[in-house]
């Protein structure tokens, strides 16, 4: 590698997909970059197998490459328009996978490393960084397995406790797939926030005693994910106990916890004594998850059930028979920021604006999403160095929608890692449901063209 004492304009910490993408976007704009990667210095993470840049730790799939009907495929398209190194290397390493994009992980990593190492504006240094730099433009892209010393430094700078824990994530459902002929909107005891809609804050899905008992047994019987060896000693986060773990504590536990029906009047179950509606035996509540109101999360339904088991069981809940999931529940050992709270709209740490964050540590989920946030962080830093005002990406694009979610549109109180999906996009109300996905992608492509035309400096010849 190059001499580690080479001067640089931007210091990038982390040589995964996000850090590699940020380095590439900066270097091709004439910016000198120091890329610090601890693997190869004698250090290793529990999940990585090599010291290669942009190593794919889990799957070798970048998921759907359909840019006409799929949100991640649209993200691929937008990244290609911005000359993404991840998409470039992905084409070189591509293997057959139908309509999906999958790669030979060794070829992919080698291609990224070769391209970055040969660029005159990039110095790759194998070193562990234990603290956030006190000065100088910096991009932190250390992923969900950030080393302990640096994680502690981040905690010190953000004031937000974000150490390694199992965070069991609740599913998120597309609002327009919920059958509201069986559900109703109401806050418990009709208590509402100032931001409430006319009726309340929650969608309520009622259960009879028989439905609840069957559901409770389904939670206990469902297939669960296995722990990796290096995850076994990591504790659950107290606020994210998986629902099936709660179910094991007794048949009534959930009815006195997240499935409590007290204070909720079911308008579909009325009589003379309860003209406003009786309280259900049990209830599943959904809470709005984004400002657009297109995504709703299942309150208290953090889970480590396998994906197929989740879909099968959760579609037995009244009103969710045809539910479409923007994100299924999961269980991760994770280190991530509460980005809507601690980052500004340009991914800068509010408490230390010379530092940007990128990739999975910001709370995006997935290879492509991680790289996409690295791409955007790189362009933002280049514009800042050049004295240009950052022109925000349209929220109608995949890049803009994902960025908006991370930096402020998500609810900071319930923020969890998220893949790109159409629920993050401003809704299209005048389009038939079956035509909506194509309408989203068409609008995004048109708006990206307009953005690029007004931001010609971001795409050098």
């Amino acid at each position: 590698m190059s001499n580690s004492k080479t001067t640089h304009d931007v210091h990038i910490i982390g040589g995964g997909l996000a850090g590699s993408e940020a380095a590439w976007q900066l270097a091709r704009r004439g910016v000198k970059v120091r890329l610090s990667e601890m693997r190869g210095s004698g250090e290793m993470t529990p999940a990585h197998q090599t010291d290669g840049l942009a190593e794919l730790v889990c799957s070798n799939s970048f998921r759907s490459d359909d840019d006409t009907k799929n949100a991640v495929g649209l993200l691929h398209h937008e990244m290609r328009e911005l000359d993404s190194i991840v998409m470039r290397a992905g084409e070189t390493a591509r293997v057959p996978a139908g309509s999906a994009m999958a790669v030979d992980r060794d070829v992919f990593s080698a291609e990224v490393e070769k391209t970055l190492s040969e660029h005159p504006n990039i110095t790759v240094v194998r070193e562990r960084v234990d603290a956030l730099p006190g000065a100088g433009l910096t991009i932190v892209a250390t992923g969900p397995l950030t080393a302990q010393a640096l994680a502690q430094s981040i905690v010190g700078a953000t004031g937000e406790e974000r150490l390694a824990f199992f965070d069991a994530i609740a599913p998120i459902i597309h609002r327009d797939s919920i059958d509201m002929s069986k559900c109703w909107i109401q806050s418990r005891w009709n208590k509402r926030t100032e931001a409430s809609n006319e009726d309340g804050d929650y969608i309520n899905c009622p259960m009879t005693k028989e439905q609840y008992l069957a559901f409770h047994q389904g939670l206990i019987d469902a297939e669960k994910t296995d722990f990796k060896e290096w995850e076994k000693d990591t504790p659950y986060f107290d606020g994210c106990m998986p629902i099936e773990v709660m179910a094991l504590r007794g048949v009534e536990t959930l009815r006195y916890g997240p499935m409590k029906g007290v204070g909720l009047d079911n308008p579909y179950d009325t009589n003379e004594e309860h003209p406003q509606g009786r309280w259900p035996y049990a209830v599943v509540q959904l809470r709005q998850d984004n400002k657009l109101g297109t995504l709703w999360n299942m309150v208290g339904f953090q889970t480590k059930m396998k994906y197929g088991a989740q879909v099968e069981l959760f579609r037995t809940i009244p009103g969710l028979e045809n539910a479409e999931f923007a994100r299924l529940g999961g269980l991760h050992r994770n280190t991530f920021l509460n980005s809507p709270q601690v980052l500004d709209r340009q991914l800068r740490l509010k408490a230390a604006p010379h530092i940007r964050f990128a990739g999975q540590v910001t709370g995006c989920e997935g290879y492509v999403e991680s790289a996409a946030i690295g791409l955007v962080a790189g362009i933002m830093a280049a514009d800042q160095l050049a004295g240009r005002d950052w022109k925000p990406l349209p929220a109608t694009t995949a890049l803009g929608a994902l960025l908006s979610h991370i930096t402020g549109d998500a609810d900071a109180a319930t923020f969890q890692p998220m893949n790109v999906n159409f629920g993050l996009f401003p809704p299209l109300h005048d389009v038939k449901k079956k035509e909506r996905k194509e309408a989203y992608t068409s609008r995004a492509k048109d708006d990206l063209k307009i953005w690029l035309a007004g931001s010609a400096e971001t795409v050098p010849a």
Side-chain angles (χ1 to χ4, degrees), residues 209-336:
K209 181 177 181 179
E210 293 73 20
Q211 289 170 329
Y212 171 77
L213 292 176
F215 184 78
H216 180 270
Q217 190 62 45
L219 289 171
I220 293 172
D221 295 341
E223 281 192 279
K224 315 301 192 300
T225 55
D226 296 323
F227 295 119
K228 295 184 175 73
E229 187 62 35
W230 51 272
E231 295 176 318
K232 290 182 178 178
D233 295 328
T234 306
Y236 288 118
F237 180 47
D238 288 343
C240 289
M241 185 68 67
I243 192 164
E244 61 274 9
V245 173
M246 286 190 279
L248 287 170
R249 296 179 174 180
V251 71
E252 293 291 292
T253 301
L254 295 173
R255 288 190 63 234
Y256 289 91
M259 297 184 70
K260 179 170 61 178
V262 173
L264 296 166
D265 306 317
N266 183 355
Y268 303 112
D269 184 12
T270 61
N271 56 30
E272 287 187 14
E273 184 181 356
H274 303 95
Q276 300 300 316
R278 299 178 63 189
W279 295 346
Y281 187 82
V283 69
V284 175
Q285 289 195 304
L286 291 89
R287 178 176 53 220
Q288 186 171 326
D289 199 76
N290 66 346
K291 289 182 179 178
L292 299 173
T294 55
L295 299 176
W296 290 65
N297 72 73
M298 299 177 69
V299 178
F301 267 65
Q302 300 86 1
T303 181
K304 61 189 182 80
M305 290 189 292
K306 290 189 174 180
Y307 285 173
Q310 290 182 49
V311 173
E312 182 179 358
L313 183 60
F314 293 158
R315 283 182 176 167
T316 68
I317 297 170
L320 303 186
E321 292 88 350
N322 298 304
E324 295 179 7
F325 295 89
R327 180 189 73 195
L328 286 163
L331 185 68
H332 300 266
R333 180 187 175 212
N334 223 339
T335 302
F336 66 96

Side-chain angles (χ1 to χ4, degrees), residues 2 19 52 84 88 96 101 149 178 181 194 227 250 252 260 299 305 312 317 327 330 336 347 364 407 431 441 448 450:
S2 305
S84 159
R88 272 193 182 197
M101 183 178 187
I178 300 170
S181 70
E194 291 184 6
F227 295 119
E252 293 291 292
K260 179 170 61 178
V299 178
M305 290 189 292
E312 182 179 358
I317 297 170
R327 180 189 73 195
F336 66 96
L347 297 166
C364 62
T407 59
V431 178
T441 59
L448 183 66
I450 295 170

Side-chain angles (χ1 to χ4, degrees), residues 182-201:
K182 299 179 180 179
C183 310
W184 76 99
I185 295 177
Q186 182 191 359
S187 294
R188 197 180 307 278
W189 305 112
N190 293 314
K191 293 180 180 178
R192 301 195 292 270
T193 65
E194 291 184 6
S196 298
N197 61 34
E198 184 176 344
D199 300 305
D201 294 317

Side-chain angles (χ1 to χ4, degrees), residues 7-297:
T7 58
H8 59 272
D9 303 306
V10 177
H11 185 190
I12 298 176
I13 305 172
L17 276 76
S20 296
E21 187 68 66
W24 171 250
Q25 295 296 330
L26 283 159
R28 60 190 289 270
R29 288 168 171 79
V31 177
K32 296 286 186 183
V33 175
R34 179 190 185 95
L35 178 58
S36 297
E37 170 53 53
M38 76 175 189
R39 291 175 297 119
S41 69
E43 303 283 344
M44 187 61 75
T45 77
H48 287 83
Q49 301 297 315
T50 76
D51 62 4
L53 298 181
E55 179 188 341
L56 304 182
V57 173
C58 299
S59 168
N60 70 326
S61 175
F62 290 167
R63 313 193 321 276
S64 175
D65 203 34
D66 179 0
D67 64 1
T68 63
K69 296 181 180 179
N70 188 282
V72 74
L74 175 63
L75 188 58
H76 291 181
H77 166 82
E78 293 178 7
M79 292 171 69
R80 289 182 178 115
E81 289 293 299
L82 288 162
D83 193 20
S84 159
I85 189 175
V86 165
M87 300 311 297
R88 272 193 182 197
E91 290 298 337
T92 300
R94 193 162 188 159
V95 297
S99 62
M101 183 178 187
V103 302
D104 178 310
R105 66 183 71 230
D106 294 329
V107 173
F108 173 78
S109 175
E111 181 67 17
V112 172
E113 180 150 344
K114 178 176 181 292
T115 303
L116 295 183
S117 298
E118 292 178 350
H119 200 291
N121 288 334
I122 298 174
T123 301
V124 179
V125 186
R126 301 294 180 161
E127 62 181 355
R128 190 183 75 196
V129 177
D130 288 337
L132 294 175
L137 286 186
T138 303
I139 297 175
V140 179
T142 47
L145 295 175
T146 300
Q148 186 70 11
L150 184 57
Q152 292 284 12
S153 178
I154 293 170
V155 169
T158 61
E160 295 292 311
E161 185 176 355
R162 283 295 179 271
L163 301 178
F165 53 82
F166 275 134
D167 91 53
I169 299 170
I172 290 178
I173 295 173
H174 289 275
R175 171 65 171 78
D176 61 8
S177 70
I178 300 170
D179 183 354
M180 293 303 295
S181 70
K182 299 179 180 179
C183 310
W184 76 99
I185 295 177
Q186 182 191 359
S187 294
R188 197 180 307 278
W189 305 112
N190 293 314
K191 293 180 180 178
R192 301 195 292 270
T193 65
E194 291 184 6
S196 298
N197 61 34
E198 184 176 344
D199 300 305
D201 294 317
Y202 298 88
I203 293 176
N204 300 282
C205 306
M207 283 187 177
T208 63
K209 181 177 181 179
E210 293 73 20
Q211 289 170 329
Y212 171 77
L213 292 176
F215 184 78
H216 180 270
Q217 190 62 45
L219 289 171
I220 293 172
D221 295 341
E223 281 192 279
K224 315 301 192 300
T225 55
D226 296 323
F227 295 119
K228 295 184 175 73
E229 187 62 35
W230 51 272
E231 295 176 318
K232 290 182 178 178
D233 295 328
T234 306
Y236 288 118
F237 180 47
D238 288 343
C240 289
M241 185 68 67
I243 192 164
E244 61 274 9
V245 173
M246 286 190 279
L248 287 170
R249 296 179 174 180
V251 71
E252 293 291 292
T253 301
L254 295 173
R255 288 190 63 234
Y256 289 91
M259 297 184 70
K260 179 170 61 178
V262 173
L264 296 166
D265 306 317
N266 183 355
Y268 303 112
D269 184 12
T270 61
N271 56 30
E272 287 187 14
E273 184 181 356
H274 303 95
Q276 300 300 316
R278 299 178 63 189
W279 295 346
Y281 187 82
V283 69
V284 175
Q285 289 195 304
L286 291 89
R287 178 176 53 220
Q288 186 171 326
D289 199 76
N290 66 346
K291 289 182 179 178
L292 299 173
T294 55
L295 299 176
W296 290 65
N297 72 73

Side-chain angles (χ1 to χ4, degrees), residues 320-396:
L320 303 186
E321 292 88 350
N322 298 304
E324 295 179 7
F325 295 89
R327 180 189 73 195
L328 286 163
L331 185 68
H332 300 266
R333 180 187 175 212
N334 223 339
T335 302
F336 66 96
L337 295 171
N338 189 340
S339 293
Q341 185 169 335
V342 302
L343 300 184
D344 70 11
R345 290 290 187 172
Q346 291 192 42
L347 297 166
R348 293 175 298 205
L349 192 60
K350 292 176 182 178
H354 64 287
I355 297 172
R356 278 185 171 85
F357 283 83
Q360 283 187 270
V361 73
T362 66
C364 62
E365 187 80 12
Y367 290 146
V368 181
E369 290 88 338
S370 177
I373 297 302
L375 181 154
V376 173
I379 297 175
M380 287 173 169
D383 278 2
Q384 183 176 344
L385 280 168
R388 292 188 293 263
D389 291 333
W390 166 249
K391 182 180 180 182
L393 282 152
T396 52

